[in-house]
PDB file of all heavy atoms in Angstrom:
ATOM      1  N   SER A  17      31.305  24.463  10.117  1.00 38.00           N
ATOM      2  CA  SER A  17      31.516  25.810   9.479  1.00 38.00           C
ATOM      3  C   SER A  17      32.109  26.793  10.570  1.00 38.00           C
ATOM      4  O   SER A  17      32.258  26.394  11.754  1.00 38.00           O
ATOM      5  CB  SER A  17      30.244  26.359   9.033  1.00 38.00           C
ATOM      6  OG  SER A  17      29.347  26.538  10.062  1.00 38.00           O
ATOM      7  N   ALA A  18      32.329  28.009  10.281  1.00 35.00           N
ATOM      8  CA  ALA A  18      32.925  28.955  11.193  1.00 35.00           C
ATOM      9  C   ALA A  18      31.858  29.409  12.206  1.00 35.00           C
ATOM     10  O   ALA A  18      32.180  29.856  13.315  1.00 35.00           O
ATOM     11  CB  ALA A  18      33.386  30.190  10.415  1.00 35.00           C
ATOM     12  N   THR A  19      30.497  29.130  11.958  1.00 38.00           N
ATOM     13  CA  THR A  19      29.481  29.612  12.798  1.00 38.00           C
ATOM     14  C   THR A  19      28.733  28.527  13.522  1.00 38.00           C
ATOM     15  O   THR A  19      28.089  28.841  14.587  1.00 38.00           O
ATOM     16  CB  THR A  19      28.546  30.584  12.095  1.00 38.00           C
ATOM     17  OG1 THR A  19      28.021  29.833  11.042  1.00 38.00           O
ATOM     18  CG2 THR A  19      29.247  31.769  11.572  1.00 38.00           C
ATOM     19  N   ALA A  20      28.629  27.420  12.974  1.00 42.00           N
ATOM     20  CA  ALA A  20      27.728  26.386  13.590  1.00 42.00           C
ATOM     21  C   ALA A  20      28.217  24.922  13.085  1.00 42.00           C
ATOM     22  O   ALA A  20      28.989  24.771  12.242  1.00 42.00           O
ATOM     23  CB  ALA A  20      26.391  26.567  13.017  1.00 42.00           C
ATOM     24  N   HIS A  21      27.829  23.999  13.963  1.00 48.00           N
ATOM     25  CA  HIS A  21      27.997  22.509  13.630  1.00 48.00           C
ATOM     26  C   HIS A  21      26.781  22.055  13.029  1.00 48.00           C
ATOM     27  O   HIS A  21      25.649  22.060  13.608  1.00 48.00           O
ATOM     28  CB  HIS A  21      28.301  21.839  14.891  1.00 48.00           C
ATOM     29  CG  HIS A  21      29.639  22.252  15.511  1.00 48.00           C
ATOM     30  ND1 HIS A  21      30.873  21.621  15.178  1.00 48.00           N
ATOM     31  CD2 HIS A  21      29.919  23.044  16.501  1.00 48.00           C
ATOM     32  CE1 HIS A  21      31.857  22.290  15.875  1.00 48.00           C
ATOM     33  NE2 HIS A  21      31.217  23.096  16.736  1.00 48.00           N
ATOM     34  N   ALA A  22      26.865  21.386  11.793  1.00 56.00           N
ATOM     35  CA  ALA A  22      25.806  20.769  11.034  1.00 56.00           C
ATOM     36  C   ALA A  22      26.061  19.277  10.892  1.00 56.00           C
ATOM     37  O   ALA A  22      27.082  18.951  10.311  1.00 56.00           O
ATOM     38  CB  ALA A  22      25.456  21.489   9.712  1.00 56.00           C
ATOM     39  N   GLN A  23      25.276  18.488  11.437  1.00 79.00           N
ATOM     40  CA  GLN A  23      25.432  16.881  11.194  1.00 79.00           C
ATOM     41  C   GLN A  23      24.565  16.534  10.095  1.00 79.00           C
ATOM     42  O   GLN A  23      23.335  16.564  10.235  1.00 79.00           O
ATOM     43  CB  GLN A  23      25.170  16.307  12.514  1.00 79.00           C
ATOM     44  CG  GLN A  23      25.501  14.716  12.406  1.00 79.00           C
ATOM     45  CD  GLN A  23      25.341  13.994  13.627  1.00 79.00           C
ATOM     46  OE1 GLN A  23      25.206  14.703  14.766  1.00 79.00           O
ATOM     47  NE2 GLN A  23      25.378  12.780  13.646  1.00 79.00           N
ATOM     48  N   ASN A  24      25.011  15.871   9.087  1.00 91.00           N
ATOM     49  CA  ASN A  24      24.463  15.283   7.965  1.00 91.00           C
ATOM     50  C   ASN A  24      24.518  13.796   8.029  1.00 91.00           C
ATOM     51  O   ASN A  24      25.514  13.179   8.467  1.00 91.00           O
ATOM     52  CB  ASN A  24      24.987  15.747   6.596  1.00 91.00           C
ATOM     53  CG  ASN A  24      25.086  17.307   6.491  1.00 91.00           C
ATOM     54  OD1 ASN A  24      24.328  17.902   7.003  1.00 91.00           O
ATOM     55  ND2 ASN A  24      26.084  17.708   5.783  1.00 91.00           N
ATOM     56  N   SER A  25      23.454  13.044   7.593  1.00 93.00           N
ATOM     57  CA  SER A  25      23.391  11.713   7.455  1.00 93.00           C
ATOM     58  C   SER A  25      22.766  11.150   6.231  1.00 93.00           C
ATOM     59  O   SER A  25      21.695  11.784   5.799  1.00 93.00           O
ATOM     60  CB  SER A  25      22.790  10.990   8.738  1.00 93.00           C
ATOM     61  OG  SER A  25      21.332  11.210   8.631  1.00 93.00           O
ATOM     62  N   VAL A  26      23.379  10.154   5.565  1.00 96.00           N
ATOM     63  CA  VAL A  26      22.766   9.659   4.301  1.00 96.00           C
ATOM     64  C   VAL A  26      22.684   8.097   4.634  1.00 96.00           C
ATOM     65  O   VAL A  26      23.753   7.486   5.032  1.00 96.00           O
ATOM     66  CB  VAL A  26      23.493  10.033   3.140  1.00 96.00           C
ATOM     67  CG1 VAL A  26      22.983   9.238   1.952  1.00 96.00           C
ATOM     68  CG2 VAL A  26      23.591  11.493   2.917  1.00 96.00           C
ATOM     69  N   THR A  27      21.524   7.562   4.302  1.00 97.00           N
ATOM     70  CA  THR A  27      21.378   6.053   4.598  1.00 97.00           C
ATOM     71  C   THR A  27      21.104   5.435   3.176  1.00 97.00           C
ATOM     72  O   THR A  27      20.184   5.889   2.492  1.00 97.00           O
ATOM     73  CB  THR A  27      20.169   5.851   5.496  1.00 97.00           C
ATOM     74  OG1 THR A  27      20.502   6.354   6.771  1.00 97.00           O
ATOM     75  CG2 THR A  27      20.021   4.302   5.714  1.00 97.00           C
ATOM     76  N   LEU A  28      21.896   4.414   2.798  1.00 98.00           N
ATOM     77  CA  LEU A  28      21.494   3.482   1.755  1.00 98.00           C
ATOM     78  C   LEU A  28      20.669   2.309   2.347  1.00 98.00           C
ATOM     79  O   LEU A  28      21.174   1.651   3.182  1.00 98.00           O
ATOM     80  CB  LEU A  28      22.802   3.071   1.013  1.00 98.00           C
ATOM     81  CG  LEU A  28      22.617   1.903  -0.035  1.00 98.00           C
ATOM     82  CD1 LEU A  28      21.861   2.499  -1.217  1.00 98.00           C
ATOM     83  CD2 LEU A  28      24.075   1.471  -0.527  1.00 98.00           C
ATOM     84  N   TYR A  29      19.642   1.916   1.623  1.00 98.00           N
ATOM     85  CA  TYR A  29      18.858   0.885   2.210  1.00 98.00           C
ATOM     86  C   TYR A  29      18.127   0.097   1.068  1.00 98.00           C
ATOM     87  O   TYR A  29      18.094   0.709  -0.051  1.00 98.00           O
ATOM     88  CB  TYR A  29      17.797   1.267   3.199  1.00 98.00           C
ATOM     89  CG  TYR A  29      16.726   2.217   2.547  1.00 98.00           C
ATOM     90  CD1 TYR A  29      15.402   1.591   2.167  1.00 98.00           C
ATOM     91  CD2 TYR A  29      16.926   3.502   2.306  1.00 98.00           C
ATOM     92  CE1 TYR A  29      14.500   2.322   1.540  1.00 98.00           C
ATOM     93  CE2 TYR A  29      15.855   4.336   1.784  1.00 98.00           C
ATOM     94  CZ  TYR A  29      14.687   3.676   1.283  1.00 98.00           C
ATOM     95  OH  TYR A  29      13.689   4.358   0.804  1.00 98.00           O
ATOM     96  N   GLY A  30      17.561  -0.960   1.351  1.00 97.00           N
ATOM     97  CA  GLY A  30      16.683  -1.742   0.232  1.00 97.00           C
ATOM     98  C   GLY A  30      16.263  -3.106   0.766  1.00 97.00           C
ATOM     99  O   GLY A  30      16.560  -3.507   1.871  1.00 97.00           O
ATOM    100  N   ILE A  31      15.480  -3.674  -0.231  1.00 96.00           N
ATOM    101  CA  ILE A  31      14.992  -5.058   0.070  1.00 96.00           C
ATOM    102  C   ILE A  31      14.975  -5.824  -1.259  1.00 96.00           C
ATOM    103  O   ILE A  31      14.731  -5.266  -2.408  1.00 96.00           O
ATOM    104  CB  ILE A  31      13.431  -4.990   0.478  1.00 96.00           C
ATOM    105  CG1 ILE A  31      13.284  -4.271   1.754  1.00 96.00           C
ATOM    106  CG2 ILE A  31      12.923  -6.427   0.544  1.00 96.00           C
ATOM    107  CD1 ILE A  31      11.829  -4.135   2.279  1.00 96.00           C
ATOM    108  N   VAL A  32      15.532  -6.968  -1.274  1.00 97.00           N
ATOM    109  CA  VAL A  32      15.483  -7.888  -2.410  1.00 97.00           C
ATOM    110  C   VAL A  32      14.810  -9.212  -1.922  1.00 97.00           C
ATOM    111  O   VAL A  32      15.013  -9.760  -0.885  1.00 97.00           O
ATOM    112  CB  VAL A  32      16.938  -8.222  -2.953  1.00 97.00           C
ATOM    113  CG1 VAL A  32      17.509  -7.090  -3.780  1.00 97.00           C
ATOM    114  CG2 VAL A  32      17.818  -8.518  -1.801  1.00 97.00           C
ATOM    115  N   ASP A  33      13.664  -9.452  -2.737  1.00 96.00           N
ATOM    116  CA  ASP A  33      12.643 -10.406  -2.310  1.00 96.00           C
ATOM    117  C   ASP A  33      12.421 -11.320  -3.575  1.00 96.00           C
ATOM    118  O   ASP A  33      11.876 -10.787  -4.703  1.00 96.00           O
ATOM    119  CB  ASP A  33      11.489  -9.987  -1.846  1.00 96.00           C
ATOM    120  CG  ASP A  33      10.365 -10.874  -1.196  1.00 96.00           C
ATOM    121  OD1 ASP A  33      10.387 -12.026  -1.777  1.00 96.00           O
ATOM    122  OD2 ASP A  33       9.552 -10.403  -0.491  1.00 96.00           O
ATOM    123  N   ALA A  34      12.678 -12.701  -3.549  1.00 96.00           N
ATOM    124  CA  ALA A  34      12.251 -13.475  -4.635  1.00 96.00           C
ATOM    125  C   ALA A  34      11.802 -14.821  -4.176  1.00 96.00           C
ATOM    126  O   ALA A  34      12.289 -15.289  -3.070  1.00 96.00           O
ATOM    127  CB  ALA A  34      13.436 -13.679  -5.658  1.00 96.00           C
ATOM    128  N   GLY A  35      10.870 -15.541  -5.017  1.00 95.00           N
ATOM    129  CA  GLY A  35      10.459 -16.847  -4.588  1.00 95.00           C
ATOM    130  C   GLY A  35      10.007 -17.553  -5.788  1.00 95.00           C
ATOM    131  O   GLY A  35       9.980 -17.051  -6.944  1.00 95.00           O
ATOM    132  N   ILE A  36       9.463 -18.734  -5.522  1.00 96.00           N
ATOM    133  CA  ILE A  36       8.820 -19.629  -6.495  1.00 96.00           C
ATOM    134  C   ILE A  36       7.320 -19.776  -6.205  1.00 96.00           C
ATOM    135  O   ILE A  36       6.886 -19.957  -4.904  1.00 96.00           O
ATOM    136  CB  ILE A  36       9.408 -21.049  -6.520  1.00 96.00           C
ATOM    137  CG1 ILE A  36      10.905 -20.903  -6.750  1.00 96.00           C
ATOM    138  CG2 ILE A  36       8.701 -21.873  -7.582  1.00 96.00           C
ATOM    139  CD1 ILE A  36      11.217 -20.348  -8.156  1.00 96.00           C
ATOM    140  N   SER A  37       6.488 -19.563  -7.186  1.00 95.00           N
ATOM    141  CA  SER A  37       4.992 -19.531  -6.891  1.00 95.00           C
ATOM    142  C   SER A  37       4.190 -20.421  -7.798  1.00 95.00           C
ATOM    143  O   SER A  37       4.495 -20.698  -8.987  1.00 95.00           O
ATOM    144  CB  SER A  37       4.500 -18.136  -6.962  1.00 95.00           C
ATOM    145  OG  SER A  37       4.239 -17.693  -8.268  1.00 95.00           O
ATOM    146  N   TYR A  38       3.082 -20.908  -7.207  1.00 96.00           N
ATOM    147  CA  TYR A  38       2.093 -21.772  -8.038  1.00 96.00           C
ATOM    148  C   TYR A  38       0.829 -20.733  -7.895  1.00 96.00           C
ATOM    149  O   TYR A  38       0.395 -20.302  -6.887  1.00 96.00           O
ATOM    150  CB  TYR A  38       1.719 -22.932  -7.380  1.00 96.00           C
ATOM    151  CG  TYR A  38       0.360 -23.491  -7.715  1.00 96.00           C
ATOM    152  CD1 TYR A  38       0.043 -23.955  -9.031  1.00 96.00           C
ATOM    153  CD2 TYR A  38      -0.850 -23.320  -6.869  1.00 96.00           C
ATOM    154  CE1 TYR A  38      -1.288 -24.476  -9.307  1.00 96.00           C
ATOM    155  CE2 TYR A  38      -1.977 -23.638  -7.200  1.00 96.00           C
ATOM    156  CZ  TYR A  38      -2.334 -24.272  -8.433  1.00 96.00           C
ATOM    157  OH  TYR A  38      -3.523 -24.526  -8.629  1.00 96.00           O
ATOM    158  N   LEU A  39       0.225 -20.489  -9.100  1.00 95.00           N
ATOM    159  CA  LEU A  39      -0.868 -19.617  -9.169  1.00 95.00           C
ATOM    160  C   LEU A  39      -1.902 -20.245 -10.179  1.00 95.00           C
ATOM    161  O   LEU A  39      -1.534 -20.545 -11.286  1.00 95.00           O
ATOM    162  CB  LEU A  39      -0.582 -18.219  -9.749  1.00 95.00           C
ATOM    163  CG  LEU A  39      -1.732 -17.208  -9.878  1.00 95.00           C
ATOM    164  CD1 LEU A  39      -2.353 -16.884  -8.516  1.00 95.00           C
ATOM    165  CD2 LEU A  39      -1.167 -15.970 -10.551  1.00 95.00           C
TER     166      LEU A  39
END
Side-chain angles (χ1 to χ4, degrees):
S17 68
T19 57
H21 293 276
Q23 184 172 351
N24 305 326
S25 69
V26 177
T27 300
L28 170 67
Y29 68 95
I31 297 176
V32 283
D33 181 338
I36 304 297
S37 77
Y38 155 80
L39 178 66

